[in-house]
Each structure stands twice: as C-alpha cells, then as structure tokens.
Amino acid sequence: MSDLKVLNFMGHRKTLAVASLVLILVSLGSLAVRGLNFGLDFTGGAQIEVGYEEPADVEVIRNTLNGAGYRDVVVQYFGNNTDVLIRMQEDNNPRLGDEVLALLSETRNDVELRRNEFVGPQVGEELRENGGIGMLVALGVVMVYIALRFQFKFAVGAVAALVHDVVIVLGFFSITQMAFDLTVLAAILAVIGYSLNDTIVVADRIRENFRMVRRDETDYLINLSLTQTLGRTLITSLTTLLVLVALGIFGGELIFGFAMALSVGVLVGTYSSVYVSANVLMALDLTKQDLMPPEKSDDPEEEDIPAWLTDVDGDETSKEKS
C-alpha cells in the first residue's frame, strides 16, 4: 500500500457535484417539457410483416412510409434481410396492411403481405403508475439493505447514486426523443443493478480501510479506497461497453435503444459510484466511529445474540457456551 499513488478524487468533488446537479436539472426539465417518446409497447399501434424475394432495404421502406404521412414508423428486419417488420402508431385499421402493401409495391413488385395486426399497449397508465411506485419501494428496500449491510450514510449515498443514474438516462431519452419501449425500460432496470453492484464494491473497500488504516482523514481514506477499486471499475465498465457497442452496431434497430440505454447507464453509473455516493459520504461527515463493529458484552447474564443481528460482517459476538 505504501507504493500506491493515491489519486485525489475528492479534491474535485464540489465541481463535479455542481456538474451532476446541472445534468439532473436539465434531465428533469426536459422530462417536464418534452416528456418521453413512448414506443408502441406503451401507446399501441399497427404491426405489419412483409416479405421480399430479394434482400430489402429498410431505409428505403422507412422513407417511403414517412413520405406517405404515416406516424412513428419503425422498420426492422425480422429474422433475415428478406423479412421486414413494420410498426407504426395508427388506429385499428383492418385495411392498413393492404394500403402499405400497395405503397411498397410502387418501388418493388416482389413484396407480399404476411401479417397485419393491431397491437394494444402493453403498459398502460395504471401499470406505469404501479411501476413508479414499485421503483420507489425498490429504492427503499435497497436503502434498508445497505443500512444493515454497511451503515445508514452508505444507504443514502447508494440511493442518491441510483436516482442520479436513472434520472440522467431518462433525460437522455427525453432530449434525444429516441423511442422509449419495453427494451429500454428493461435496460434501465439493468442499470440500477449494475450501478448498485459497483457502489457496493466501493463501499466495502471504504469500510475496510476505515477500520484497518491508521489515519483519520475521511477524504484520504475515501481517496485510497477509490484508487484501489479504480482498476476493477474501469475494466468492468470497458468490457461491458465493448459488448454494448457491438450490440448497438450489429444488433439492428430492435435492440438499439436497449444498447444505448445501457451504454449511457454504464458510463453514468461508473461516474456515480465515485463522485456521487462517495461525495454524499463526505457531505454526511463519515467517520471511523460510524464503522466500528459493536463491542462485545461482558455481562455473563446477557443472552447470546446471533451474529447476523449485531454485525453483518459475521464477526463473532459471543463465545460458545461451555
């Protein structure tokens, strides 16, 4: 440890705290003004499948339909490059498939209609409200778990980091007006798990150093912990991003939103593990006394208490009765 160069992460905490606050305010402002561009999974619409004898060009199909005045058209390959799935926000029109087929036949005559159906919204207003309540309950459970696993100040920092990450990812989709569908919602839930895991790794090292290192400066101990976990954090984030970039480039339009949401979430989650959760610990004045294990009782009359109720680290709290 003596050869380790401790990086001064907390020396820039105030500047980056302001940057985080600006990003959150911009995201909330965009969500309030522009909202999210909900996809067909949320709004419902038409779903049409067409087939070609030769490989199709989805860009040409998309431009043709947009030029004809159809709304929110999503065109993607369905299985291979001769099968195309078209989704658009239209009312339930039994003749819509024939209209689209006639329009596409003007550019190519090797197209045939294979399916025409109306897809109802899978996530209605009531389910969205229940999802929001469920998210708040999940954050509350996370706070209770981390408070028991570490200490209450760690719980506040972890939940602040999770809220920070989710708001910024939602703000990104609001600003760019990319389609927000069920795959993006799944990606946001994955971001919560990723960010929480990274935050717990950092918190565990902070607690260990607060107990083992013979220095009392909070900023030094947090900087030391962040420096020690930096390699692991960067390697995990970079390898995850490599996979997500590959999915975004080669996975097609179907999972592009998923890859983008996770990519933004991984970047923001890596940042928040360092400069949000740790920043909150500094603001709450974390001390060594906050992390000291409970003292053993010398009262022989006191009933033995299981270790998991007194020290989540599994420290022995009472000796076995002879």
Side-chain angles (χ1 to χ4, degrees), residues 52 56-66 75 84 86 104:
Y52 288 83
D57 189 334
V58 294
E59 191 65 28
V60 172
I61 297 174
R62 186 183 301 109
N63 292 336
T64 301
L65 295 175
N66 285 330
V75 183
V84 176
I86 302 170
L104 296 180

Side-chain angles (χ1 to χ4, degrees), residues 111-136:
V111 57
E112 63 173 346
L113 178 65
R114 295 181 177 175
R115 181 166 45 133
N116 176 30
E117 60 187 17
F118 179 78
V119 180
Q122 299 180 34
V123 181
E125 182 178 354
E126 181 179 354
L127 188 53
R128 272 180 280 178
E129 292 178 356
N130 291 338
I133 295 174
M135 184 76 71
L136 294 177

Side-chain angles (χ1 to χ4, degrees), residues 267-280:
L267 290 173
V268 176
T270 302
Y271 162 83
S272 68
S273 298
V274 176
Y275 278 112
V276 176
S277 59
N279 211 343
V280 170

